[in-house]
Structure formats: structure tokens, C-alpha cells
Amino acid sequence: MTVPRSLRGLFAMLFVEIFGAALTIPVFTYFCIAELRLTATYVGLIMSMFSAAQLFGAPVVGRLSDAWGRRNALLGCFCWTSVCFLATAGVKTFSGLLIVRTFAGLSGGSIPITQAMIMDVTTQEERPSVLGVMGGLLGVAFTLGPGTIVLVLSMWDLERRWVFVAASLFALVGCIVGYFVLEETLPERKRRPICTAGEDSKDCKTVVEDIWDCCTPSLMCIWVGRFCSSFANLCLFSTYAFLIRDAFGWGDRELGMVLASGGIIGALIQLLLYPRMSKAMGKHTVYGFGAALVTMYFIALPIATLDQRSIQFHLCLKVLFISGTAIMDPGIPDLVAYHAPEDRMGLVQGMTNGFRALASVAAPLVAGRAFDISPYFVYSMAAMAAAVSGVCVACATLFDTRRGLEAGVAGRLACMGEKLAGEKLAGPHPN
């Protein structure tokens, strides 16, 4: 699949920014544990506040991109990320880190805007392949980032704070690169003004009213599925460092190696398998398959890790989880674009990220507290959430008005064709 020319600059700057952010993934939890002396509950609270800010920021920034263009919105997100990573490097207390990470979430993240830009310039048939390329690119970034920081920590006794400084610089470089190479994908004629005037010029739709107009049954099913899948994944993300520390005595170096190897597998699946699976099985079915893999992983995780304490079994299960999430991650924006109105793509993708952020608020708080009580409890919840996610996306097909409309049009065309063929066989009517 050839990436459209208008997206090449986007992918270049996105890779730089995500690589920098990925440097912090194996370090952040241990930064909280070792330097700020925080427990799982406090780490969960920090993650939740970051996501609560994204819950507000993602739909607003997405709506602004529908009105003012994607380019300006994305460059602003990159600048904000750079400033917040730099501020993170200077925090000394729990309250300081909580404030900084809350402000960091207000940008809404770069991924929803990126997904909206892909939807702007691709067709329904092209989207799985382009999303697969994007997923593969992110997988490489998430592989190189943790792998690089593991190598650096192995060679030098580097303070973890400097990792956040490096992430800030990469986000700034990504913004500078984007300023020169990023193309606007939403022409002015397709933009939706912030204030949409009615016939009497007194009606003005707010962002909330626009969101309400987008809340179709099929999109609501997908959004709830997004919430559940994110809840399951974040239950693992917010507790995994504690799990492998307690079971195997692993630290941030081992966590970085797990993330790096997982990134390679995930990138290959998204780049090579997801587009083919989506075409052969359908968007909804392939997502359900991924949800089933993740559900099985969470059921077996505590048995392999805590009961048997088998590193080999644990790593084999990790491949199952990576495979499932690599299928589900590009599936959600693809499904949202399939069911969403074209003129509100930024808003709808922002809302999708908002549901992920809502899960990110709940999951770390619940998972951190549940893990302190019993790891078995938190991973049972995650298994149920992953299963419900697959069911919700399957239910979206029940409200798929697009399929019904296409079927109706196809039926009418078939009837017209049969009628014309009959008239042709019968010959001309007598005068």
C-alpha cells in the first residue's frame, strides 16, 4: 500500500514525537516508585487525572480541527506535549507531578487528529491498509523508544529525569518538522464552523449539541467497546510493573525489553496481517477476534505469572495479548470512520479518544486499588471488560444503517435491471 503524499509528512513528525514519548514508558512508573516513593494507588491517581484532562481536551481539540483545520491543531498538540514533558522532568513531589500530568492531558493527544487526517484523504477501502501502516510505524517507534532507553540505562547511570527532557526535545523536533512538511488535509470548503447558524441566523450549535447529533446507536456501541477495551488494557498497563517485580524481580530494563519486543510483533501484525484480515473477515468480525485473544490472555495471566511463576509461559501469553491488541487498535478508528458522518470526523475521533480517556480515569484508580488487594481480582475484571468490548462492536452491526441503505439501493438497482432485461426480451410494445 502506497501512503498518500499528503500523509507522508504527518507520519514523519508523528514517528519523531511517539519515539520520544516511548522513551518514558518503561521509566515513568519506576520514576514514581524510586524517586517520588509512590505506591500503586498514587500512580493510578496520576494516570487517572491525565486521562480526565484528555476526556475534556480530545473532543474539544477534535472539534476545533473540524473548524480551523487539522494542521494547526496537531502542531499545537506537539508544542503542548513538549512543554509538559519538560515540566515533568522538574517535579519533586506527588502534587507537582499530578498538576503537570493533568495539564499535559488537556491537549487531547495527537493520535485522534492523526486518525482524522487519515480519514480525510482515504476511502473506506484504503483505510485498513493506511491504518495498518500507521500502526506499524507506531509499533516501530514503541519498539525503538523502550529499546533505546534500556540500552542507555545499561551503559550509563542516567537519572530518569533526563529521559523526560529527551522526550520534550523529540516532541519539539516533531513540531518543527511538521511546520515545514505537514500538509493540511481538510480543505476550507469541508470545514464545519464552530458556530453553525440556522435559517434565522440566531441558532448556534455548541460542541455538546454537535456531540449529541453524532450519538447514533452504532457509534455508541463502538464507543462503549472502546471504553471496555481501554479499561482492560490500562488495568494491565498500570499494574504490570508491580506484577513482574513481585513475580520475577524485574525492573525498568526488563520492562523495556518486553515493550521493545512486543512493539516489533505488533508492528508486523498491523502492517501485514490487519489489512488482509479486515478485508477477508470484515471490520467487525476481526475486532471480535482480537477481543477474544485479549480475553484469553487475562484469564491465563495470573496462573502463569503468580501460580507457576513461569517466565516462558508468561512471555508466550504476552504474544497472545500483543496479537489481540494489534488487531483491535487500528480496528476502532476504522470502525468509527465507517459509521461516522464525514463532516464531523475530527469531533468523532476526538470523542473516541474521550472514551479511551474515560477508561483511563477509571482503570488506574480501580486497578491500582484492586491490585493492592489481589492481582487475581484486577485481571478477572480486565478479562470481562475485553469480552464486553467484542460484544459491543458486534452489536454495532445491528444498528448499521449504512448496510441497510446499501442493501436497499442494491435491491432497487437489481429490480430495475431485471425489469429492463424483461422489457428487452419482450420486444417493443405495440402502438
Side-chain angles (χ1 to χ4, degrees), residues 36-304:
L36 301 182
R37 307 296 180 187
L38 303 181
T39 64
T41 300
Y42 285 104
V43 174
L45 179 60
I46 291 169
M47 293 180 178
S48 295
M49 290 305 297
F50 172 80
S51 300
Q54 279 198 326
L55 177 62
F56 169 78
V60 172
V61 174
R63 181 64 184 90
L64 292 175
S65 77
D66 286 338
W68 297 339
R70 316 287 190 212
R71 185 178 184 274
N72 293 333
L74 191 61
L75 292 176
C77 287
F78 274 45
C79 287
W80 190 253
T81 299
S82 177
V83 171
C84 291
F85 270 133
L86 187 61
T88 301
V91 298
K92 302 287 186 180
T93 63
F94 163 72
S95 58
L97 184 59
L98 184 67
I99 292 170
V100 169
R101 297 311 297 162
T102 301
F103 273 97
L106 290 175
S107 70
S110 57
I111 301 298
I113 304 299
T114 301
Q115 292 168 343
M117 295 179 81
I118 292 174
M119 306 310 162
D120 289 339
V121 298
T122 56
T123 64
Q124 287 285 349
E125 292 74 20
E126 295 171 339
R127 284 168 186 170
S129 296
V130 177
L131 288 170
V133 172
M134 174 184 165
L137 186 73
L138 296 182
V140 172
F142 280 118
T143 299
L144 295 178
T148 300
I149 204 60
V150 166
L151 181 62
V152 170
L153 292 175
S154 300
M155 297 175 63
W156 295 285
D157 186 17
L158 183 70
E159 285 190 34
R160 293 183 176 92
R161 295 179 184 276
W162 287 105
V163 178
F164 297 102
V165 175
S168 174
L169 291 175
F170 276 106
L172 181 60
V173 170
C175 183
I176 294 172
V177 170
Y179 181 82
F180 291 102
V181 304
L182 185 63
E183 297 183 20
E184 179 59 66
T185 59
L186 187 65
E188 290 190 12
R189 67 179 184 278
K190 292 186 177 181
R191 295 179 188 178
R192 183 178 176 83
I194 293 294
C195 188
T196 306
E199 293 180 358
D200 57 359
S201 300
K202 296 179 180 180
D203 181 37
C204 186
K205 285 193 174 183
T206 64
V207 174
V208 175
E209 291 171 324
D210 269 332
I211 291 172
W212 181 254
D213 290 343
C214 294
C215 290
T216 61
S218 58
L219 275 177
M220 285 302 300
C221 287
I222 295 171
W223 284 339
V224 173
R226 178 54 163 163
F227 171 84
C228 292
S229 67
S230 298
F231 184 91
N233 294 345
L234 288 160
C235 281
L236 180 69
F237 181 76
S238 57
T239 61
Y240 189 66
F242 297 94
L243 176 70
I244 59 177
R245 182 197 64 182
D246 296 342
F248 308 127
W250 288 356
D252 44 11
R253 291 176 176 84
E254 290 82 4
L255 177 59
M257 287 187 285
V258 170
L259 293 174
S261 57
I264 296 173
I265 298 171
L268 291 174
I269 291 174
Q270 291 189 356
L271 184 62
L272 301 177
L273 291 183
Y274 173 74
R276 292 175 173 83
M277 293 177 69
S278 179
K279 184 176 180 179
M281 301 169 61
K283 304 176 191 294
H284 301 80
T285 304
V286 73
Y287 183 90
F289 176 70
L293 294 180
V294 173
T295 302
M296 290 187 288
Y297 166 78
F298 280 117
I299 292 173
L301 177 61
I303 299 173

Side-chain angles (χ1 to χ4, degrees), residues 291-359:
L293 294 180
V294 173
T295 302
M296 290 187 288
Y297 166 78
F298 280 117
I299 292 173
L301 177 61
I303 299 173
T305 307
L306 298 175
D307 291 349
Q308 299 186 10
R309 294 188 181 272
S310 170
I311 294 177
Q312 293 81 3
F313 192 10
H314 176 86
L315 294 178
C316 288
L317 284 176
K318 194 67 178 176
V319 173
L320 193 70
F321 173 78
I322 293 166
S323 301
T325 53
I327 293 171
M328 296 169 72
D329 285 347
I332 284 291
D334 196 12
L335 287 165
V336 167
Y338 178 77
H339 291 279
E342 293 289 338
D343 63 339
R344 302 178 188 180
M345 194 61 68
L347 174 64
V348 173
Q349 294 292 352
M351 277 295 297
T352 306
N353 195 60
F355 274 85
R356 184 205 61 79
L358 182 61

